[in-house]
Amino acid sequence: MESKNIVYIVDDDPDVLDATCMLLESTGLETQRFNSAMSFLNSINQNSQGCIVLDVRMPNMSGLKLQSEIMRREICLPIIFITGHGDVPMAVEAMKNGALEFFQKPFRDQEFIDCVYGALDINQQSLNNLNRVHSIQRRIATLTKREQQIMQYMTEGHITKVIADKLAISPRTVETHRARVMEKMQAKTLAQLIHMVMET
Amino acid sequence: MNYLDLPKPATLILDAGGNIEHISSSTCELLGYQPAELQSLNWIDICVPPLFQIKTKRIFDAVLSGKKDLPDQIIFPVLSKSGDQHLFSWHSEPRFDASGRAIGSITTGIAIPEDAVKQENSYLQTAARNQAVLDNAIEAIISTNNRGIITHANKTTESILGYKPNELLGKRITCLIPMNIISDCAREIRFHMQSTDTNTVINREVEARHKDGRKIPVELTVTEITIGGTFSFTGIMRDISERKLSEARLKKSKEEVQQARDRLTQMDRLHLASEMSAGLAHELNQPLSAISMYAQGCHNLLNNSELDRHKLSNTLLRIDTQAQRAGEIIRNIRALMERQELHHQLTDINTLIRSTIELAEEDYECRAIDFECIFSHSLPQVEIVYGQIQQVLLNLIRNACDAMIAIPVEEKSISIISEQYSDSFIKVSVRDRGSGIDIQHRDKIFQNFFSTKNSGMGMGLAISYSIITSHGGVMDINPEYSDGAEFFFTLPIMTNLRKPSHGE
């Protein structure tokens, strides 16, 4: 899993690009370098994992524009910005749009490295969350229509007798369904079940 | 007008050349001829006034050629034997021979009595209203008859050309408009009369003569008007001296601003002022960040358990390349600065201040600000590099604007004071109403890269300081001024022209 994490670096200055890659690689990270926004967009997709390091000032498409394009394509990688000169409004906009950090050159290399590692962690975590949500969704899909109905009432806090009344079936039958729901959803307690349903 | 009801029709039978084959006796009588006298003579040559001959001939030819869209009635005067003009309303029909060829015309005319024109006076109210309109027009409106004699002038004429309307009646139009322009217009009108039926309008910018002899630039519109068959001309003159003046002023000030801008652009380039220094910072930042990252990378490589010597040595070489790149940028800037020519010129400092304010007002931020100039007018000239001092002053003004960014527009004000400082120095001060200068910053304020602004480079004052120093003057803040900040600089009256060293 870890080896798939790549730091995507986009900078139009080849020297700075090379130095950034060298710095990150020296700490054992895997990098991919791009000298323009376009070449980056052409090689990334929704399944990419890792994080992105963007230069703010680039010809043709600036870092900020690239950021909104990345969001438009629903690529959920954390973005770290690097800028040549302090531009407060630009930084504010980038952060508002969900950038993880905004570094002004020249910056402390260790802070930058830490931030990149942090970004990779965040990406991993959200990936884990995503996987978890997917597996819960798969479990829900195995429920029958009646079981889904019963689960709905259960998570709303109704007791067996009330559910039986509402559905005009016997409490015994409700009990059977409840047991099936708990089993299929792999939930040990009602609290766990509610938690799962909330997450989806 | 009801003159068409009046009797006395005239009848003419003309051949294809316009020669008279028959003319009614009453017409002869009216025109003062014996019928035999006119027989076979050319009607148009003899009886039509010269000014109307061309037009009449054209209409006559059109009738013979069977043109359909001719007007039913055409009004023009005819000449009597004694030279009097009589106004007639004419109608012509073509005559054809057996083969259908036009061989002449039957023309009938109804005399329009003298008093028909006078009847218009019954429309006195309308006339009075028209007069009021004419008098209140912002243009001078002058009518002449076809010989160029002024028959009417409105009141505005007096305010533009100095003549009372009555003074002008009976005078020639040439007393107002030069002869050559009049004949030019007349030529053009005649040309149009021959080629079109529509009213002619001529429009041009000319110089009219005022009563006191001055030349007044006016926009002249001449129209040809036919009232009751008599041609007259109306000239409408709009005074455009204001417009001309402001056009000229605008042109001049635009040129001046442009010149000043050019000079400053040059200065900006040489002195790495704000924007340029930001660009420079970016340029230098690139290799510096690369060096920093390579160095940290090397450090990391050395800490790894397995030392990759090749990679380490490779990266160290790249650090060297980046350091060279930074050096190259610095060298380029040095070269740029050495190209600078320092031309000292004798300057009136107040003129420089005024032109700098104009320049500053070009900037959006400075536009709303009230500038107060407190000048001493007996100052000796100083020998300075004009653009550099302008740069210093502009920099102080911009700083003052920035300092007042948060206060209401009506309170924004910058005072610029010029005065004699001592026997050998003059002094220029710039005061704003901003928050003033923190006393603890006083020592640092002229140092490179010191700035209290969020976006500032801290270069402006440092550069200004070095310019003033190189001119032999002093620059400082006035700690006693408490309503804001006061910066001042002095300049020596007798400049010892030593070459200032660059990049001070």
Side-chain angles (χ1 to χ4, degrees):
Chain A
M1 239 6 199
E2 192 70 29
S3 65
K4 274 187 175 176
N5 278 334
I6 294 173
V7 185
Y8 301 91
I9 305 167
V10 193
D11 198 317
D12 66 306
D13 186 316
D15 296 340
V16 176
L17 184 61
D18 184 65
T20 316
C21 289
M22 191 272 155
L23 173 65
L24 294 177
E25 281 165 10
S26 76
T27 69
L29 288 169
E30 191 176 334
T31 64
Q32 264 188 34
R33 53 181 77 182
F34 304 92
N35 58 12
S36 76
M38 276 331 285
S39 64
F40 170 70
L41 285 173
N42 286 338
S43 72
I44 196 151
N45 59 52
Q46 290 177 359
N47 297 325
S48 306
Q49 291 176 31
C51 71
I52 307 170
V53 175
L54 289 186
D55 184 19
V56 175
R57 274 202 198 182
M58 283 188 293
N60 300 325
M61 191 189 272
S62 75
L64 288 181
K65 277 224 184 85
L66 179 56
Q67 181 188 26
S68 54
E69 182 60 26
I70 290 168
M71 289 196 302
R72 199 184 65 77
R73 297 188 182 197
E74 296 180 351
I75 296 164
C76 308
L77 304 183
I79 300 175
I80 299 166
F81 274 102
I82 295 181
T83 178
H85 70 306
D87 188 331
V88 176
M90 217 182 248
V92 169
E93 199 189 332
M95 298 306 277
K96 261 192 195 159
N97 292 335
L100 185 65
E101 196 53 85
F102 199 96
F103 283 97
Q104 190 181 333
K105 277 186 240 177
F107 43 78
R108 288 184 193 282
D109 300 311
Q110 196 51 53
E111 278 175 24
F112 174 62
I113 293 168
D114 291 347
C115 183
V116 169
Y117 274 94
L120 293 175
D121 274 354
I122 288 168
N123 182 239
Q124 190 59 52
Q125 224 160 39
S126 64
L127 213 63
N128 292 346
N129 283 343
L130 202 66
N131 286 338
R132 197 175 138 75
V133 169
H134 280 157
S135 87
I136 294 169
Q137 278 168 344
R138 274 196 297 277
R139 285 177 219 166
I140 291 175
T142 65
L143 299 179
T144 65
K145 214 170 173 195
R146 180 61 100 193
E147 283 162 359
Q148 282 187 20
Q149 233 174 357
I150 302 232
M151 182 172 76
Q152 183 65 34
Y153 286 128
M154 286 164 75
T155 55
E156 282 168 11
H158 298 298
I159 57 168
T160 304
K161 197 172 165 336
V162 176
I163 299 173
D165 280 355
K166 279 184 185 278
L167 296 175
I169 51 176
S170 75
R172 264 190 80 87
T173 317
V174 174
E175 283 297 348
T176 319
H177 283 306
R178 282 188 73 132
R180 291 285 295 157
V181 167
M182 294 299 277
E183 187 192 327
K184 280 185 175 174
M185 292 299 290
Q186 300 169 22
K188 291 198 177 66
T189 63
L190 182 58
Q192 261 186 14
L193 180 72
I194 292 171
H195 201 78
M196 284 181 198
V197 173
M198 297 285 285
E199 267 189 86
T200 57
Chain B
M1 284 196 273
N2 52 358
Y3 51 78
L4 291 185
D5 296 334
L6 297 164
K8 285 193 188 169
T11 318
L12 287 166
I13 297 180
L14 304 177
D15 71 9
N19 300 317
I20 299 168
E21 283 186 19
H22 171 82
I23 182 164
S24 65
S25 54
S26 63
T27 317
C28 288
E29 202 181 310
L30 181 70
L31 299 180
Y33 291 102
Q34 295 300 320
E37 265 187 286
L38 286 171
Q39 194 65 40
S40 300
L41 288 179
N42 192 291
W43 165 254
I44 296 171
D45 288 348
I46 300 293
C47 297
V48 176
L51 191 61
F52 295 86
Q53 283 178 357
I54 295 166
K55 204 170 181 180
T56 311
K57 182 79 174 73
R58 201 157 42 78
I59 293 164
F60 182 72
D61 290 343
V63 167
L64 292 198
S65 65
K67 246 190 154 181
K68 286 280 179 292
D69 52 359
L70 289 170
D72 217 16
Q73 311 275 343
I74 293 157
I75 296 173
F76 62 82
V78 291
L79 278 177
S80 72
K81 197 174 178 181
S82 59
D84 294 337
Q85 290 195 6
H86 296 272
L87 212 52
F88 272 78
S89 168
W90 297 100
H91 176 78
S92 291
E93 289 287 349
R95 290 188 294 134
F96 302 99
D97 67 5
S99 65
R101 196 166 54 93
I103 53 163
S105 76
I106 302 175
T107 300
T108 54
I110 296 166
I112 300 171
E114 287 287 322
D115 58 3
V117 184
K118 283 181 195 145
Q119 277 178 24
E120 290 197 356
N121 291 347
S122 67
Y123 301 111
L124 261 178
Q125 254 189 316
T126 319
R129 192 166 58 232
N130 288 347
Q131 187 61 42
V133 171
L134 290 180
D135 284 343
N136 287 305
I138 56 163
E139 296 94 352
I141 302 173
I142 297 168
S143 303
T144 73
N145 66 10
N146 56 14
R147 293 193 308 282
I149 304 295
I150 295 170
T151 56
H152 178 267
N154 71 343
K155 274 189 187 156
T156 318
T157 310
E158 185 179 357
S159 58
I160 295 180
L161 297 170
Y163 291 98
K164 285 195 175 9
N166 286 339
E167 283 182 276
L168 284 173
L169 294 186
K171 282 216 169 82
R172 294 201 161 269
I173 186 69
T174 46
C175 73
L176 300 177
I177 309 281
M179 189 60 205
N180 59 337
I181 291 169
I182 295 292
S183 46
D184 219 35
C185 289
R187 207 176 305 127
E188 200 170 315
I189 287 172
R190 243 174 256 135
F191 175 77
H192 277 279
M193 272 169 72
Q194 286 169 25
S195 56
T196 59
D197 276 330
T198 52
N199 271 2
T200 314
V201 177
I202 296 174
N203 207 330
R204 56 186 59 175
E205 283 181 13
V206 302
E207 279 186 336
R209 216 172 292 141
H210 191 272
K211 193 179 177 186
D212 64 14
R214 269 184 304 138
K215 283 181 175 168
I216 312 282
V218 294
E219 187 180 290
L220 172 67
T221 307
V222 181
T223 47
E224 163 211 6
I225 295 179
T226 318
I227 298 174
T230 315
F231 281 94
S232 63
F233 300 95
T234 296
I236 299 171
M237 283 177 261
R238 181 190 285 266
D239 186 350
I240 53 171
S241 38
E242 282 289 330
R243 193 180 87 198
K244 285 273 168 205
L245 210 63
S246 58
E247 271 172 12
R249 257 193 231 125
L250 196 67
K251 190 160 170 270
K252 186 161 172 270
S253 67
K254 265 193 181 154
E255 276 167 10
E256 280 173 2
V257 167
Q258 191 51 47
Q259 279 171 10
R261 291 234 127 182
D262 290 348
R263 272 202 300 273
L264 274 186
T265 313
Q266 174 80 354
M267 284 302 151
D268 265 336
R269 199 178 300 134
L270 299 171
H271 278 281
L272 329 172
S274 54
E275 290 115 58
M276 164 129 186
S277 47
L280 172 76
H282 178 74
E283 282 300 305
L284 276 176
N285 249 338
Q286 297 295 90
L288 289 177
S289 335
I291 289 171
S292 157
M293 286 190 282
Y294 281 136
Q296 177 72 36
C298 288
H299 184 75
N300 292 344
L301 286 182
L302 286 170
N303 284 344
N304 285 352
S305 50
E306 268 180 51
L307 181 58
D308 185 341
R309 280 179 168 274
H310 176 71
K311 194 160 194 181
L312 185 64
S313 121
N314 207 344
T315 307
L316 286 171
L317 283 177
R318 288 181 194 181
I319 290 180
D320 183 48
T321 310
Q322 290 307 307
Q324 297 296 335
R325 177 181 165 188
E328 187 61 30
I329 292 166
I330 308 261
R331 261 193 299 284
N332 284 344
I333 286 155
R334 278 260 169 78
L336 206 65
M337 289 175 84
E338 268 151 28
R339 242 177 279 150
Q340 144 184 34
E341 280 173 35
L342 293 176
H343 171 63
H344 286 73
Q345 61 188 90
L346 271 177
T347 306
D348 170 34
I349 197 74
N350 292 343
T351 312
L352 181 142
I353 295 172
R354 258 187 230 105
S355 77
T356 311
I357 291 173
E358 272 175 36
L359 206 61
E361 282 172 337
E362 289 270 298
D363 281 348
Y364 181 76
E365 291 82 10
C366 298
R367 217 168 284 167
I369 290 177
D370 186 29
F371 282 94
E372 183 193 18
C373 298
I374 306 167
F375 288 168
S376 162
H377 287 285
S378 52
L379 292 177
Q381 294 198 320
V382 281
E383 202 163 6
I384 53 170
V385 180
Y386 195 92
Q388 284 193 338
I389 300 302
Q390 204 169 32
Q391 172 88 38
V392 170
L393 191 57
L394 191 63
N395 188 29
L396 290 181
I397 292 174
R398 281 181 182 158
N399 281 352
C401 291
D402 289 344
M404 296 190 291
I405 204 103
I407 72 172
V409 174
E410 61 273 12
E411 287 173 30
K412 290 187 183 193
S413 165
I414 295 177
S415 305
I416 302 181
I417 303 139
S418 70
E419 62 194 307
Q420 184 99 22
Y421 184 60
S422 65
D423 283 349
S424 47
F425 285 93
I426 61 163
K427 178 177 159 189
V428 176
S429 319
V430 178
R431 286 178 182 165
D432 64 47
R433 303 264 174 86
S435 47
I437 295 155
D438 197 330
I439 197 71
Q440 63 175 358
H441 290 152
R442 195 186 164 189
D443 296 334
K444 285 182 277 180
I445 210 152
F446 296 110
Q447 287 170 13
N448 278 349
F449 307 116
F450 176 81
S451 179
T452 56
K453 296 184 213 166
N454 286 332
S455 58
M457 278 294 296
M459 294 293 279
L461 280 177
I463 289 166
S464 300
Y465 188 83
S466 76
I467 289 174
I468 294 300
T469 313
S470 74
H471 274 81
V474 198
M475 186 169 193
D476 203 351
I477 54 177
N478 176 6
E480 263 131 58
Y481 181 71
S482 57
D483 292 343
E486 179 184 320
F487 281 86
F488 69 85
F489 58 86
T490 64
L491 291 168
I493 293 160
M494 294 297 292
T495 308
N496 180 15
L497 273 184
R498 70 193 158 82
K499 268 259 182 253
S501 54
H502 303 299
E504 240 178 352

